[in-house]
């Protein structure tokens, strides 16, 4: 933007000389681009980072790694990449043969144990049995009931379902693959709130407050500018994180990592896709020449997205 303004000034001087307003290039005319560069940089563009900071933006969404609760061989893959899913929709199915057999086996044992308990209870009531036998039979029934519940749960887990509403990002799980319990095999994105977050440098963070006006442009939507508001300002960044270990605190040079600022789009009909990138500008003081130039610069970048990749 600064280069464009200086180039525009040089073009004006060239026109004035070309049409005869000035007969030649005077010394002040030759020095004026440098002076203009310094003045605009010091008085306009450096403070612009304070009163209307901007930074790269990305759309984030909650993701879940889909992992089966039991091991088995994949019999059918139902989910399709990008297809909207509701909570409980089937993603894929495992071979249930062994789990069904276990359920049937325990169910048969439980039925027999219940019959024995009934018989021993009747004998006790007639005075021909004893309390210990009844208690042992009750214990066996309780144990088999618990085992049947566990076996039934394993059988249910052979059908893997969507945990919440959302979609599968990609499906590369083939039929016939052997999968293990707890091992992720499919990425799942939630339909819940998506976060539009901007990286703001630390020296530009000082005046940003909740609720301030912001604007966002996305590279995938060139020519469009979206109004927004500051939703959240991160209280920490990865550089400030210390993880427990057996080592002393390191002596590395501290990094000046940017902070994340989450913004909320005013247009609720827009559904930004996770991973979309662009630029966001936050207006801590929505007035003045710096505010105007930031808006112009942001829109220039939006239109330039038709041609360039940022």
């Amino acid at each position: 933007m600064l280069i464009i303004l200086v180039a525009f000034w040089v073009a004006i001087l060239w026109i004035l000389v070309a049409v005869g307003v000035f007969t030649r290039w005077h010394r002040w005319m030759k020095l004026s681009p440098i002076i203009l560069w310094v003045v605009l940089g010091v008085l306009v563009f450096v403070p612009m980072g304070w009163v209307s900071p901007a930074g790269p933006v990305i759309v984030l969404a909650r993701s879940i790694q889909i992992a089966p609760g039991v091991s088995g061989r994949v019999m059918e893959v139902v989910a399709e990449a990008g297809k909207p899913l509701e909570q409980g929709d089937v993603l894929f199915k495992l071979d249930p043969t062994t789990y069904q057999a276990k359920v049937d086996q325990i169910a048969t044992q439980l039925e027999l144990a219940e019959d024995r308990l009934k018989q021993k209870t009747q004998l006790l009531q007639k005075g021909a049995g004893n309390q210990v036998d009844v208690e042992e039979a009750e214990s066996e029934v309780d144990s088999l009931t618990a085992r049947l519940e566990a076996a039934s749960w394993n059988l249910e887990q052979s059908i893997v379902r969507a945990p919440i509403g959302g979609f599968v990002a990609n499906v590369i799980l083939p039929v016939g693959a052997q999968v293990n319990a707890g091992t992720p095999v499919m990425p799942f994105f939630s339909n819940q709130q998506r976060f539009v977050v901007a990286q703001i440098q630390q020296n530009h963070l000082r005046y940003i407050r909740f609720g301030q006006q912001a604007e966002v442009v996305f590279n995938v939507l060139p020519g469009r500018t979206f109004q927004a508001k500051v939703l959240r300002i991160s209280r920490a960044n990865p550089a400030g994180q210390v993880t427990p270990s057996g080592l002393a605190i390191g002596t590395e040079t501290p990094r000046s990592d940017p902070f994340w600022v989450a913004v909320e789009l005013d247009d609720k009909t827009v559904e930004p896709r996770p991973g979309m990138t662009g630029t966001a500008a936050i207006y801590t003081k929505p007035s003045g020449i710096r505010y105007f130039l930031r808006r112009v610069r942001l829109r220039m970048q939006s239109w330039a997205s038709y041609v360039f990749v940022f």
Side-chain angles (χ1 to χ4, degrees):
M1 188 66 175
L2 181 57
I3 296 175
I4 294 176
L5 292 175
V6 174
F8 183 71
W9 171 249
V10 173
I12 292 176
L13 294 178
W14 183 85
I15 293 174
L16 292 176
V17 174
V19 300
V21 176
F22 297 102
T23 57
R24 61 186 180 85
W25 283 84
H26 298 281
R27 178 176 296 179
W28 69 266
M29 297 170 66
K30 297 177 181 179
L31 294 176
S32 63
I34 300 176
I35 297 173
L36 182 63
W37 180 287
V38 174
V39 171
L40 288 178
V42 173
L43 299 181
V44 178
F45 285 92
V46 171
M48 184 187 295
W50 305 332
V51 300
S52 56
V57 71
I58 188 170
V59 179
L60 303 177
R62 294 185 176 93
S63 63
I64 301 173
Q65 293 182 323
I66 300 298
V70 295
S71 301
R73 189 171 302 280
V74 178
M75 296 293 292
E76 180 183 2
V77 178
V78 181
E80 299 177 11
K83 181 181 179 180
L85 296 168
E86 300 294 334
Q87 183 177 9
D89 287 350
V90 176
L91 300 179
F92 60 93
K93 299 178 181 180
L94 303 180
D95 186 355
T97 303
T98 56
Y99 301 108
Q100 183 65 62
K102 192 68 174 179
V103 168
D104 295 340
Q105 178 187 10
I106 298 175
T108 301
Q109 293 174 349
L110 177 59
E111 183 179 358
L112 180 60
E114 289 175 339
D115 290 340
R116 289 175 178 173
L117 173 61
K118 183 177 179 180
Q119 293 172 357
K120 293 180 178 181
T121 302
Q122 291 175 348
L123 290 174
L124 179 63
Q125 292 173 348
K126 295 178 180 179
N130 60 71
Q131 184 65 34
V132 175
D133 291 340
V134 173
E135 291 177 354
E136 289 179 351
E138 289 176 344
S139 177
E140 184 179 4
V141 169
D142 292 341
S143 176
L144 289 171
T145 300
R147 289 175 57 192
L148 180 60
E149 291 178 355
S152 298
W153 184 87
N154 287 337
L155 178 60
E156 292 176 359
Q157 294 303 303
S158 66
I159 301 178
V160 182
R161 303 178 183 274
I164 54 178
F167 64 93
V168 177
N170 55 69
V171 179
I172 58 175
L173 182 65
V175 172
Q178 179 70 31
V179 297
N180 297 320
T183 302
V185 295
M186 189 175 288
F188 186 90
F189 282 85
S190 166
N191 277 339
Q192 297 176 2
Q193 183 181 11
R194 295 169 186 177
F195 303 95
V196 181
V197 293
Q199 282 187 331
I200 302 298
Q201 296 299 325
Q202 296 188 18
N203 59 330
H204 295 164
L205 197 69
R206 66 186 76 175
Y207 299 122
I208 297 178
R209 300 291 184 271
F210 171 81
Q212 288 176 337
Q213 178 187 354
E215 288 184 325
V216 181
V217 297
F218 296 108
N219 298 333
V220 75
L221 300 171
R224 299 181 62 184
T225 304
F226 299 93
Q227 302 299 313
K229 289 183 176 60
V230 175
L231 182 65
R232 189 180 303 109
I233 305 170
S234 64
R235 298 177 63 87
N237 66 22
Q241 179 175 322
V242 177
T243 54
S245 70
L247 303 177
I249 296 178
T251 58
E252 296 85 0
T253 302
R255 307 193 313 268
S256 183
D257 288 352
F259 280 78
W260 288 106
V261 177
V263 299
E264 183 180 22
L265 301 182
D266 293 345
D267 188 352
K268 304 304 180 184
T269 62
V270 178
E271 296 184 0
R273 301 178 182 179
M276 285 173 51
T277 58
T279 303
I282 301 170
Y283 303 117
T284 63
K285 185 180 179 182
S287 62
I289 184 64
R290 302 179 186 93
Y291 165 74
F292 173 76
L293 290 177
R294 176 65 77 189
R295 287 172 59 89
V296 172
R297 184 175 183 178
L298 195 66
R299 282 156 176 77
M300 290 175 59
Q301 180 172 335
S302 177
W303 285 101
S305 296
Y306 277 109
V307 180
F308 303 103
V309 178
F310 294 96

